[in-house]
C-alpha cells in the first residue's frame, strides 16, 4: 500500500512562495506564471496566512514598474474576479483587505484603458465597478491602515476620471485620463465619470476638516493631493481652497503632550511641503500670494510653538538674576590667565618623564600616553602648538632647560674612560708606563706563551697575498686620530633570488596593484583621452589607476628582456616566467572578464597599449616577444564564451582596437554556427567594412569564408559581398552555371 503524500506545513509553503517571489523580482516575466498558480490561495477557505501572502504578492505584481503596458493588461484582466474575492467578504482579514485595495488601485487605470479600446467586453468593467463600490462603502468605518489604502484608491480613480494637462509620460499610469474616452463610448460616459471624480475629491478633502486630529489620515490626504494639483488642472482650485481652510494647529489648543506635539509638527510639516510644491510648480497663479502668506504663517507658528528652548530669557527673569537691563548688559573682562610656573625637581634620581612633566596633577602624570593612537596624538599636538601663546611656550622651554642644568650639576663627576690605541711593533716592545698598569696591561714577561703551529710553506703564503685586498698608499697629512678612523661600511650582499621566490613576490606585487580598484569610483564626467603619450594618472580615480596598470603590464619590462632565450628555455621546461608584466596581464585579463560588457573600454585601452609597446619593440630591434596579438585573441575568446545576440559591444571592441588580423576576425566565424548570433557577427564585419577602410579587404575575406562554410549565414553574406565586392557577382554566376558540383565548391576551387 502506497504511503500517503505528506502535505507541507504553512511555513514551508510560505517559504516556497517566497522563493518564487524572489525569482519574479529578478525577472518580472515570471509574475504572470506565478499569479496564475496562486489564484486559488485567494479563496475564503484558504488559511489566512496564505491569503495574506497571495494578496501582498498580487499588489506587488500589479505595481511593478518594470512591466510593460501589454504585460500589465495580460496580468490584470484575468485576476479582476480574484480582486473581488479579496474585498467582498464583510469579515475579511484587515491585512488581506488592505493588500486587495492596493491591488485594485493599481488595476483600476489598467482596466479603464483596456475598456476604452475594447467596449465589447463589459464583464471586466462591471467587476471593476463592483470593486470600486465595495471599497467606497468600507472607507468610513474601516481601520486606519485600511483607510489609508482607500485614500490611495480614490486618488487613482480621480486621476483616471478627470482631464489631464498632457504633460505626464506615457505608460506611467498617470496618462489614463478622461480625454482618452470617446464621447459615444458604450460603457463609459465621460460626464458621469467626471462628476463621480469631483464628488470623491470633495469627500477626500472633507477628511481634512473632519479628521483634523488624526495625523495619519491628514498626512495621507495631503500627500495624495500634490500629484492631483500637478497633473489635473480641474482640481486645483478645490484643493488649494481646502488647504487654505485647513488648520493643522487644532491640537495645539489641547494640552501639549509629547504625542500631540509630534502630531502637530507632522501635520504642519506636510502642509508646508505641499504648499511649497504648489508654489514651485506654478508661481504665477492668482492664489500664489495667499499660499505664500499661509506658508509664512505656518512657519512663524511652528517657530513660536516648538523653538522655546532657543529664545533669550525675558527681562524680569534677567532682572531677578541680577543682570539688569537686557539691552545694557555688561560683560566682565575675562580674568587673565596665571603665568605658568614650573616647580624645580626634588633631589634624587628622576625619570625622563618627570623632567618634562609640566603639571602637578598626579592623575595626569600617571597617564600612559602610548595608549593614544599616534595619528590622534599628532593632530592634538599640531592644534595645541598652533593655539599656544609664545610666552607660555618660552616659559615651558626655559623651565625644562633649568631642570636639565640642575640635574647635570648635581650628578657626580665621572673619570674619563681611556681608549687603548693600537701601536706599532716597536711600541709594543717598549716598556710599559707604570701609570697605565691599572688599565689591564701587566708587565709580566712570564705570561707570554708562544703558539706552536706548523709554519706555512711558500705556496700558502703566495695564495694568501694574491687574495689580500690592494694596499692603499698612506696619507701624507694623516692626523693624529687617523689610526682610530673607521673604514668604509659595506652592506652584505643580498641572498640569491631563485625563480620560484621571484614569481611569488611578483604575484604579491600584482595583487597589491589591483587592490585599490575596489575602493575607487568611476568619474562622474568622462573626459576624452589624449592618446598613448598622455599622463598615466592625473587624478585619483578608476580610469587613471587602470591606465597606470596597463602601462605597468606593457611597459614595465621595456628594454629589460635581454635574457629572452633563458626565459624561453624556462618556459619550455615548465617553470614559471619571472616577469611582472605577464602576471599583471593575467590579472588584468581576469578583471576585464569579470564584467566585460561594462569594462570593454579597459580591454580596448589595454590592447592599444600592447600594440604601442610592440611597435616600440620592433623599432628598437630589441627582439622581445610581441604580446598584442596574443592578448587580443585571448580577450576575443573570452568574450565569445559569454556572447549573446544583444551584445553590440563586440562591434565596438573590433572597431576600436588598433590592428586586426585574419586569425582575430576568424574567431567571428564561430558565431555563425549559432543562428541567434549570425546577425551580430555579420553586423560587426559590415561595420568594419564601412568604417575601417584598412581592414575592409580582410573583413570581406572573412565574409566570403563565412559564405562558403555556413549555410545559415549565406543569404546575409551574399548580400554584403554583392554590394562591397563587385567581382563576386560574376564569379558567383559563373560558379552557378558551371556543370556539376556546388557553386561554392566551384568558387573555392
Amino acid at each position: 500500500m502506497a504511503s500517503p503524500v505528506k502535505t507541507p506545513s504553512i511555513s514551508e509553503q510560505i517559504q516556497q512562495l517566497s522563493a518564487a517571489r524572489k525569482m519574479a523580482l529578478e525577472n518580472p516575466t515570471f509574475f504572470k506564471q506565478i499569479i496564475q498558480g496562486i489564484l486559488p490561495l485567494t479563496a475564503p477557505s484558504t488559511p489566512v496566512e496564505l491569503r495574506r501572502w497571495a494578496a501582498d504578492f498580487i499588489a506587488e505584481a500589479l505595481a511593478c514598474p518594470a512591466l510593460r503596458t501589454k504585460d500589465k493588461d495580460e496580468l490584470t484582466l484575468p485576476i479582476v474576479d480574484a480582486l473581488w474575492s479579496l474585498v467582498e467578504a464583510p469579515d475579511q482579514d484587515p491585512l488581506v483587505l488592505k493588500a486587495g485595495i492596493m491591488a485594485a488601485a493599481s488595476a483600476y487605470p489598467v482596466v479603464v484603458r483596456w475598456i476604452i479600446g475594447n467596449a465589447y467586453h463589459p464583464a471586466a468593467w462591471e467587476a471593476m465597478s463592483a470593486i470600486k463600490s465595495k471599497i467606497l462603502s468600507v472607507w468610513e468605518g474601516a481601520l486606519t491602515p485600511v483607510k489609508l489604502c482607500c485614500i490611495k484608491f480614490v486618488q487613482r480613480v480621480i486621476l483616471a476620471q478627470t482631464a489631464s494637462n498632457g504633460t505626464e509620460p506615457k505608460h506611467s499610469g498617470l496618462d489614463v485620463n478622461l480625454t482618452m474616452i470617446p464621447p459615444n463610448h458604450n460603457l463609459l460616459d465621460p460626464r458621469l465619470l467626471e462628476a463621480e471624480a469631483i464628488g470623491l475629491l470633495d469627500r477626500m478633502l472633507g477628511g481634512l476638516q473632519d479628521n483634523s486630529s488624526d495625523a495619519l489620515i491628514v498626512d495621507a490626504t495631503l500627500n495624495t493631493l500634490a500629484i492631483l494639483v500637478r497633473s489635473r488642472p480641474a482640481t486645483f482650485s478645490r484643493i488649494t481652497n481646502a488647504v487654505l481652510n485647513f488648520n493643522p494647529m487644532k491640537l495645539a489648543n489641547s494640552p501639549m503632550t509629547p504625542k500631540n506635539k509630534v502630531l502637530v509638527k507632522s501635520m504642519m510639516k506636510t502642509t508646508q511641503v505641499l504648499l511649497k510644491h504648489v508654489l514651485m510648480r506654478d508661481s504665477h497663479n492668482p492664489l500664489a500670494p495667499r499660499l505664500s502668506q499661509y506658508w509664512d504663517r505656518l512657519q512663524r507658528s511652528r517657530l513660536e510653538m516648538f523653538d522655546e528652548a532657543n529664545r533669550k530669557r525675558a527681562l524680569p527673569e534677567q532682572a531677578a538674576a541680577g543682570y539688569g537691563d537686557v539691552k545694557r548688559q555688561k560683560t566682565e573682562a575675562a580674568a587673565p590667565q596665571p603665568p605658568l610656573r614650573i616647580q624645580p625637581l626634588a633631589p634624587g634620581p628622576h625619570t625622563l618623564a618627570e623632567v618634562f612633566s609640566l603639571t602637578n596633577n598626579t592623575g595626569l602624570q600617571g597617564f600612559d600616553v602610548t595608549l593614544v593612537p599616534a595619528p590622534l596624538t599628532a593632530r592634538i599636538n599640531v592644534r595645541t602648538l598652533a593655539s599656544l601663546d609664545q610666552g607660555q611656550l618660552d616659559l615651558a622651554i626655559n623651565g625644562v632647560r633649568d631642570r636639565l642644568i640642575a640635574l647635570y650639576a648635581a650628578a657626580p663627576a665621572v673619570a674619563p674612560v681611556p681608549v687603548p690605541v693600537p701601536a706599532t711593533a716597536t711600541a709594543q716592545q717598549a716598556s710599559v708606563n707604570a701609570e697605565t698598569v691599572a688599565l689591564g696591561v701587566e708587565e709580566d714577561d712570564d705570561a707570554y706563551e708562544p703558539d706552536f703551529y706548523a709554519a706555512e710553506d711558500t705556496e700558502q703564503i703566495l695564495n694568501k697575498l694574491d687574495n689580500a685586498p690592494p694596499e692603499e698608499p698612506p696619507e701624507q697629512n694623516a692626523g693624529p686620530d687617523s689610526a682610530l678612523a673607521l673604514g668604509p661600511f659595506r652592506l652584505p650582499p643580498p641572498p640569491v633570488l631563485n625563480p620560484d621566490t621571484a614569481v611569488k613576490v611578483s604575484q604579491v606585487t600584482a595583487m597589491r596593484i589591483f587592490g585599490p580598484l575596489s575602493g575607487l569610483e568611476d568619474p562622474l564626467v568622462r573626459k576624452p583621452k589624449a592618446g598613448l603619450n598622455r599622463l598615466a594618472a592625473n587624478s585619483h580615480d578608476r580610469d587613471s589607476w587602470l591606465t597606470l596598470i596597463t602601462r605597468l603590464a606593457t611597459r614595465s619590462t621595456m628594454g629589460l628582456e635581454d635574457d629572452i632565450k633563458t626565459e624561453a628555455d624556462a618556459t619550455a621546461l615548465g617553470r614559471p616566467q619571472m616577469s611582472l608584466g605577464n602576471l599583471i596581464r593575467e590579472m588584468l585579463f581576469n578583471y576585464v572578464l569579470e564584467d566585460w560588457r561594462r569594462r570593454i573600454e579597459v580591454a580596448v585601452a589595454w590592447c592599444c597599449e600592447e600594440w604601442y609597446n610592440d611597435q616600440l619593440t620592433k623599432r628598437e630591434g630589441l627582439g622581445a616577444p610581441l604580446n598584442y596579438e596574443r592578448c587580443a585573441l585571448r580577450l576575443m575568446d573570452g568574450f565569445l564564451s559569454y556572447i549573446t545576440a544583444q551584445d553590440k559591444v563586440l562591434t565596438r571592441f573590433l572597431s576600436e582596437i588598433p590592428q586586426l588580423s585574419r586569425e582575430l576576425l576568424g574567431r567571428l566565424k564561430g558565431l555563425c554556427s549559432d543562428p541567434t548570433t549570425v546577425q551580430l557577427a555579420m553586423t560587426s564585419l559590415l561595420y568594419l567594412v564601412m568604417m575601417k577602410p584598412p581592414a575592409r579587404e580582410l573583413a570581406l575575406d572573412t565574409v566570403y569564408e563565412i559564405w562558403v562554410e555556413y549555410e545559415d549565414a549565406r543569404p546575409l553574406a551574399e548580400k554584403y559581398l554583392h554590394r562591397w565586392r563587385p567581382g563576386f557577382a560574376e564569379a558567383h554566376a559563373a560558379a552557378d552555371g558551371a556543370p556539376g558540383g556546388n557553386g561554392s565548391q566551384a568558387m573555392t576551387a
Side-chain angles (χ1 to χ4, degrees):
M1 181 178 179
S3 59
V5 179
K6 181 180 179 181
T7 304
S9 62
I10 295 178
S11 60
E12 293 176 351
Q13 295 182 39
I14 292 178
Q15 186 176 4
Q16 296 174 2
L17 292 173
S18 300
R21 173 182 175 273
K22 182 178 179 181
M23 182 175 61
L25 292 177
E26 294 176 355
N27 189 357
T29 57
F30 291 112
F31 272 123
K32 183 178 179 181
Q33 304 175 15
I34 297 175
I35 284 182
Q36 294 297 332
I38 66 171
L39 283 180
L41 299 180
T42 60
S45 59
T46 309
V48 65
E49 293 85 357
L50 297 179
R51 272 190 294 146
R52 289 175 180 175
W53 191 96
D56 290 336
F57 183 80
I58 292 174
E60 186 176 19
L62 295 181
C64 179
L67 292 175
R68 299 175 300 177
T69 303
K70 182 179 179 181
D71 297 335
K72 284 190 176 182
D73 293 344
E74 297 176 354
L75 184 66
T76 304
L77 295 174
I79 64 173
V80 174
D81 295 335
L83 295 179
W84 169 248
S85 65
L86 293 177
V87 300
E88 68 166 337
D91 56 346
Q92 184 65 273
D93 181 72
L95 296 179
V96 177
L97 180 60
K98 174 176 172 291
I101 295 174
M102 292 303 296
S106 301
Y108 189 81
V110 177
V111 174
V112 170
R113 180 174 51 222
W114 190 82
I115 290 295
I116 291 173
N118 302 273
Y120 57 87
H121 196 282
W125 176 245
E126 292 174 357
M128 198 70 234
S129 299
I131 294 173
K132 179 171 62 174
S133 301
K134 182 64 178 179
I135 293 174
L136 296 179
S137 64
V138 302
W139 185 2
E140 295 298 334
L143 300 175
T144 300
V146 179
K147 285 184 179 180
L148 300 181
C149 297
C150 292
I151 293 174
K152 183 63 179 178
F153 176 78
V154 170
Q155 181 212 34
R156 299 308 294 265
V157 172
I158 296 173
L159 287 171
Q161 297 182 187
T162 51
S164 172
N165 55 5
T167 60
E168 299 302 324
K170 293 184 178 180
H171 313 298
S172 62
L174 304 180
D175 59 324
V176 180
N177 61 90
L178 197 66
T179 58
M180 299 174 61
I181 304 175
N184 55 351
H185 199 277
N186 297 334
L187 298 177
L188 305 178
D189 188 352
R191 294 174 298 175
L192 296 178
L193 293 178
E194 185 176 12
E196 182 186 16
I198 297 300
L200 291 176
L201 178 62
D202 292 337
R203 183 178 175 184
M204 184 169 62
L205 293 176
L208 293 179
Q209 304 299 330
D210 300 338
N211 301 300
S212 58
S213 61
D214 192 343
L216 292 177
I217 301 297
V218 171
D219 288 347
T221 304
L222 292 174
N223 288 329
T224 57
L225 296 179
I227 193 170
L228 293 175
V229 172
R230 185 188 72 189
S231 60
R232 299 298 183 263
T235 63
F236 179 82
S237 59
R238 292 176 179 271
I239 292 175
T240 52
N241 290 328
V243 173
L244 290 174
N245 295 326
F246 170 62
N247 182 19
M249 295 178 291
K250 184 178 180 180
L251 282 176
N253 299 326
S254 58
M256 287 301 292
T257 61
K259 177 182 178 181
N260 290 341
K261 188 177 293 187
V262 171
L263 296 178
V264 172
K265 187 181 293 186
S266 174
M267 290 188 290
M268 293 180 67
K269 186 66 175 178
T270 308
T271 307
Q272 285 184 298
V273 170
L274 175 62
L275 293 174
K276 189 174 182 180
H277 172 78
V278 174
L279 290 173
M280 290 178 61
R281 299 289 298 187
D282 189 6
S283 58
H284 302 288
N285 193 276
L287 294 177
R290 291 185 59 191
L291 295 175
S292 180
Q293 293 175 3
Y294 186 50
W295 189 91
D296 295 337
R297 186 165 65 252
L298 289 177
Q299 183 70 10
R300 288 193 301 268
S301 301
R302 189 174 66 87
L303 293 176
E304 293 174 359
M305 188 178 302
F306 301 110
D307 292 350
E308 295 180 356
N310 298 330
R311 301 178 188 174
K312 294 182 179 180
R313 289 181 297 176
L315 179 59
E317 297 177 0
Q318 293 180 351
Y323 288 107
D325 193 355
V326 67
K327 297 183 179 180
R328 299 182 180 273
Q329 290 185 12
K330 295 182 180 180
T331 58
E332 298 180 359
Q337 188 176 3
L340 180 64
R341 297 184 61 184
I342 301 177
Q343 301 293 337
L345 296 176
H350 296 279
T351 62
L352 192 61
E354 294 176 349
V355 173
F356 286 91
S357 294
L358 304 180
T359 179
N360 297 326
N361 192 334
T362 307
L364 292 178
Q365 290 179 355
F367 178 69
D368 189 4
V369 186
T370 58
L371 299 177
V372 183
L376 180 59
T377 305
R379 193 159 55 248
I380 294 174
N381 291 338
V382 171
R383 293 184 178 180
T384 304
L385 292 175
S387 60
L388 190 62
D389 183 34
Q390 184 64 33
Q392 299 285 345
L393 181 61
D394 294 338
L395 287 175
I397 295 174
N398 293 331
V400 175
R401 184 184 292 114
D402 294 340
R403 288 181 177 179
L404 292 175
I405 293 174
L407 288 177
Y408 278 115
V414 180
V417 180
V419 180
V421 180
T424 59
T426 306
Q428 291 176 359
Q429 295 175 3
S431 60
V432 180
N433 190 358
E435 296 179 358
T436 61
V437 173
L439 298 177
V441 181
E442 298 179 359
E443 190 176 1
D444 190 0
D445 294 340
D446 296 336
Y448 172 74
E449 295 181 1
D451 296 331
F452 297 98
Y453 295 107
E456 296 180 349
D457 56 0
T458 306
E459 185 176 0
Q460 291 177 347
I461 295 174
L462 292 176
N463 290 335
K464 186 177 294 184
L465 291 175
D466 292 337
N467 295 328
E471 297 183 358
E472 298 180 358
E475 298 181 0
Q476 299 295 332
N477 300 326
D481 297 334
S482 60
L484 297 177
L486 296 176
F489 176 74
R490 295 182 177 86
L491 291 173
V496 180
L497 187 65
N498 56 6
D500 297 333
T501 306
V503 170
K504 293 179 180 179
V505 174
S506 299
Q507 290 176 350
V508 174
T509 303
M511 292 175 64
R512 294 186 64 181
I513 291 174
F514 280 82
L517 282 178
S518 59
L520 295 177
E521 297 181 355
D522 292 333
L524 297 178
V525 179
R526 295 186 177 272
K527 299 180 179 179
K529 298 181 179 179
L532 295 171
N533 291 324
R534 68 184 185 278
L535 291 176
N538 51 13
S539 61
H540 191 62
D541 55 8
R542 184 183 292 270
D543 287 347
S544 299
W545 195 255
L546 286 171
T547 304
L548 181 63
I549 290 176
T550 55
R551 297 280 176 88
L552 288 175
T554 57
R555 307 187 197 181
S556 60
T557 57
M558 180 67 179
L560 302 179
E561 298 90 346
D562 295 334
D563 198 6
I564 299 171
K565 182 177 180 181
T566 304
E567 189 172 345
D569 294 342
T571 306
L573 294 174
R575 299 178 61 182
Q577 295 187 10
M578 295 174 55
S579 176
L580 178 62
N582 289 335
L583 291 174
I584 298 178
R585 287 186 180 97
E586 182 68 25
M587 299 190 71
L588 189 58
F589 173 77
N590 295 331
Y591 173 78
V592 172
L593 259 283
E594 286 177 0
D595 192 1
W596 66 276
R597 294 178 178 87
R598 294 181 56 190
R599 298 171 181 171
I600 197 70
E601 289 186 359
V602 181
V604 172
W606 178 22
C607 290
C608 292
E609 293 289 347
E610 293 286 3
W611 177 85
Y612 180 69
N613 185 64
D614 289 354
Q615 299 304 314
L616 292 180
T617 302
K618 294 177 183 178
R619 187 176 65 183
E620 299 295 335
L622 300 176
L626 304 180
N627 298 301
Y628 168 74
E629 186 73 16
R630 177 173 60 87
C631 294
L633 288 174
R634 192 177 181 194
L635 284 172
M636 191 71 175
D637 292 337
F639 297 161
L640 296 181
S641 302
Y642 308 100
I643 203 76
T644 61
Q646 290 77 26
D647 291 328
K648 302 299 190 299
V649 292
L650 178 64
T651 306
R652 177 183 177 185
F653 175 75
L654 292 174
S655 63
E656 292 186 2
I657 58 176
Q659 186 176 351
L660 298 172
S661 63
R662 184 176 298 275
E663 186 176 2
L664 186 62
L665 293 182
R667 296 292 200 272
L668 292 176
K669 295 192 294 184
L671 295 178
C672 297
S673 59
D674 186 359
T676 61
T677 56
V678 170
Q679 182 69 31
L680 176 62
M682 300 304 297
T683 304
S684 301
L685 291 172
L686 178 62
Y687 186 87
L688 296 177
V689 171
M690 297 175 62
M691 299 298 178
K692 206 164 187 178
R696 177 175 298 173
E697 293 301 324
L698 193 61
L700 288 174
D701 291 342
T702 307
V703 173
Y704 177 74
E705 294 174 1
I706 293 174
W707 180 81
V708 173
E709 299 176 10
Y710 296 95
E711 187 71 27
D712 295 336
R714 186 165 294 174
L716 198 57
E718 185 176 348
K719 175 183 175 182
Y720 294 162
L721 290 173
H722 274 295
R723 179 179 179 184
W724 294 98
R725 183 164 282 181
F728 173 78
E730 292 77 4
H732 182 43
D736 290 339
N742 194 356
S744 61
Q745 296 177 357
M747 290 185 65
T748 306

